[in-house]
Amino acid sequence: MKHFLTRCSILICLILTLAIPVQAEQSYSHLYISISDALINTKQDKDAEAKLALEQFSKDWASVTSEHKEAKDKVNDILAQAREASSKEDRLQALSALSNALRALEKQENPVDEAAQRAEFGTKFKPSMKAFEDALASGDIPAIESAYKDFNTKWNKIERPVREQSMAMYGQIETQMAFIRISLASEKPDIDSMQSQYEELKQSIEDFVAGKDTAQVVEGEYSLATLITYIDEAKGLIDAGDYKGASDKIREFIKIWPSVEIDISTRNGSLYTRIESDMPILVSDLLKSQVDAKAIKSKLNTFRTEIELIQGASDYTLWDAALILLREGLEALLIILALASFLERAGQKSMRKWIYIGALAGVLLSAVAAILMSTIFRSATIDTSRELMEGYIGLLAAAMMIGVGIWLHSKSSVASWNRYISKQLGSAISNGSVLAMATVSFLSVFREGAETLIFYAGIAPKMETSQFMLGILVAFLILAILAFVLVKASGKIPIHKFFAVATVLIYVLAFKIIGASLHTLQLRGTISTTIVDGLPVISMIGFYPTAETMIGQVFLLVLVLAAIIYKKRKN
């Protein structure tokens, strides 16, 4: 297993070394996602997560080049204000201004004629509007339903100019369309009511085409937490038998939805579509003479959990970062000390420097690989698939951690550890060469460094940089203390006990990375999401209530149990 991990680690680093980033057209989509994350977390009073999102924006923004110096400088200035904001209100205001400044820069780089865009939008939408008007005039419900479906499909295809030019008008049009959908889905659709609703919708569309911003702005600060609150209140009203009240509560949800939808559409397009499609239907279903309360609550529960999955961050701590380096560094340290101790006992104390030179070479080459990995991750070629790569690399890191954990478990006894050290020493001594020992030292450090890189690639993108660096610093300090103690103790400390503790911690971290990585792939729509009702989101340990994430984590637990049983039988 260990040889397999060694070869995999070195092979991955070689692949990364040979990888050459390819230039691609500059995209700002990932920057808007970072702003959205910062807004969500600021609204939820999650200061650390908001700062992490801003840090990610800063990191990505540093690689952006633009000939429009004034517009770029404005983004820089507002970004500095957002990072230095001392209050929630100041940061929210700065983030809003940052989004506008970034959009202004984007418009300068890709100039468009907004008036022409509005006119083109009106021209494209006119046939669908006329068809819906004719269907309303006929009074034929099936015809109205068919026309509305075409009308809505057309809107979804051409809505972008409205959203980009006026979020207020976009929100008003979306809400008015949802209310028509509610009327159409009711038990006895009221044609006159739909006609009145359509007239208001038509006026909003005509105002936009004419360049008039007549939308009524929805006041207040709303977030994903607000959506969850409305769903919980609607469920409570359903339980109390107040179906009219629950219907009104979902109407409130629909009114604020345009203010929050981007937080979901950028993370889970499928969920965004289902909420827009199904919520108006639930409003009507609650007002029917026969209400299927159980089915409605089930739908609301599913939406609630999926929103909560987006809301729950995969937060890693400094101890997660410290544990990885501590585990990998400990093994390399023990091998280096064992080799140095052998030379001293053999009367070749002066030759120990070659052991340390080999170790230093391993550290330097690992650092080069780390820089290459960082460069590739920040390459423009992966901007649109960053989260996809994070998910897959996280799973690779977890797989390697399982292998490391099993290896650690096999060394967590005195006899096993002594056999391992004897083998490492024997392979160097048999060559009768100090160079061979230096090579063992180099490979030990570089191998652990390569594994560490893979593990860090799985967690670093979801950590605040300060926490990440602090974790590494803590690990270095602990390793320095351990090195001092081990040298002074001359092998009297039971090293196998260190490994027994490290084994448990590695398995816990692997459990977390598996859950977080599968969750990331679910948000990207790469794998399915099957909600398991009644279970909470516990992002601290990477637990998400979906069948897919739990299957991955159960697989880990089965492997751990198998490793324990195997070791007991072997002993």
Side-chain angles (χ1 to χ4, degrees), residues 61-274:
W61 174 248
S63 64
V64 171
T65 57
S66 175
E67 296 178 356
H68 302 279
K69 187 176 184 301
E70 186 176 341
K72 192 171 188 294
D73 287 344
K74 187 173 182 180
V75 174
N76 286 328
D77 292 342
I78 298 174
L79 174 59
Q81 293 173 21
R83 297 185 72 175
E84 296 168 5
S86 57
S87 68
K88 176 180 178 180
E89 291 71 23
D90 288 345
R91 184 184 292 151
L92 287 172
Q93 186 175 355
L95 287 170
S96 178
L98 181 62
S99 179
N100 291 334
L102 184 62
R103 187 165 281 110
L105 173 62
E106 198 171 18
K107 284 182 178 179
Q108 286 189 31
E109 293 184 342
N110 305 286
V112 295
D113 186 337
E114 291 189 347
Q117 276 191 337
R118 291 195 300 271
E120 183 182 9
F121 167 81
T123 301
K124 288 181 177 179
F125 212 8
K126 193 171 182 179
S128 297
M129 293 173 65
K130 181 65 169 60
F132 187 65
E133 286 178 24
D134 293 342
L136 276 175
S138 72
D140 184 355
I141 297 301
I144 296 173
E145 289 177 342
S146 177
Y148 178 83
K149 184 177 179 181
D150 293 339
F151 182 86
N152 188 58
T153 300
K154 188 67 174 179
W155 161 254
N156 289 330
K157 288 181 179 178
I158 64 173
E159 66 178 20
R160 183 174 178 178
V162 187
R163 185 174 64 249
E164 290 182 347
Q165 292 191 32
S166 174
M167 276 301 298
M169 291 297 288
Y170 172 78
Q172 180 164 292
I173 292 171
E174 283 261 296
T175 303
Q176 289 168 340
M177 290 183 66
F179 287 163
I180 292 176
R181 178 90 186 269
I182 290 169
S183 298
L184 192 56
S186 62
E187 223 166 18
K188 295 180 180 179
D190 187 332
I191 303 296
D192 291 337
S193 176
M194 279 192 286
Q195 185 67 53
S196 175
Q197 290 168 337
Y198 174 71
E199 290 301 325
E200 292 179 3
L201 171 61
K202 182 180 179 182
Q203 187 61 54
S204 295
I205 294 171
E206 290 175 349
D207 286 343
F208 171 75
V209 173
K212 300 176 184 177
D213 198 336
T214 57
Q216 296 180 355
V217 179
V218 179
E219 299 292 339
E221 292 182 2
Y222 302 105
S223 65
L224 297 181
T226 312
L227 298 182
I228 290 174
T229 298
Y230 279 147
I231 290 175
D232 286 342
E233 291 177 358
K235 285 164 54 185
L237 290 167
I238 292 173
D239 289 337
D242 184 0
Y243 299 143
K244 174 66 168 60
S247 177
D248 291 341
K249 186 58 64 176
I250 298 177
R251 279 178 179 269
E252 291 179 34
F253 179 106
I254 291 170
K255 286 180 181 178
I256 70 160
W257 168 249
S259 304
V260 188
E261 65 175 33
I262 191 171
D263 298 337
I264 292 179
S265 63
T266 55
R267 292 296 185 191
N268 190 333
S270 171
L271 176 61
Y272 164 78
T273 301
R274 283 183 284 118

Side-chain angles (χ1 to χ4, degrees), residues 432-477:
S433 167
V434 173
L435 179 61
M437 292 187 187
T439 302
V440 170
S441 175
F442 164 76
L443 290 177
S444 296
V445 173
F446 179 67
R447 178 188 62 201
E448 307 308 328
E451 289 179 359
T452 302
L453 284 178
I454 299 301
F455 298 157
Y456 278 154
I459 71 170
K462 291 182 171 62
M463 282 189 71
E464 195 170 346
T465 300
S466 60
Q467 290 285 298
F468 182 65
M469 297 307 296
L470 185 58
I472 292 176
L473 178 61
V474 168
F476 270 124
L477 290 175

Side-chain angles (χ1 to χ4, degrees), residues 339 423-433 436-437 440:
L339 291 169
K423 182 179 179 182
Q424 291 288 333
L425 286 172
S427 62
I429 296 168
S430 62
N431 292 324
S433 167
M437 292 187 187
V440 170

Side-chain angles (χ1 to χ4, degrees), residues 8 43 70 77 116 119 124 159 175 192 199 202 216 265 289 319 346 354 364 397 425 457-458 481 493 495 508 520 566:
C8 283
K43 289 177 180 179
E70 186 176 341
D77 292 342
K124 288 181 177 179
E159 66 178 20
T175 303
D192 291 337
E199 290 301 325
K202 182 180 179 182
Q216 296 180 355
S265 63
S289 56
W319 296 111
W354 295 105
L364 292 176
L425 286 172
I481 294 170
I493 294 178
I495 300 302
V508 169
T520 297
Y566 175 77

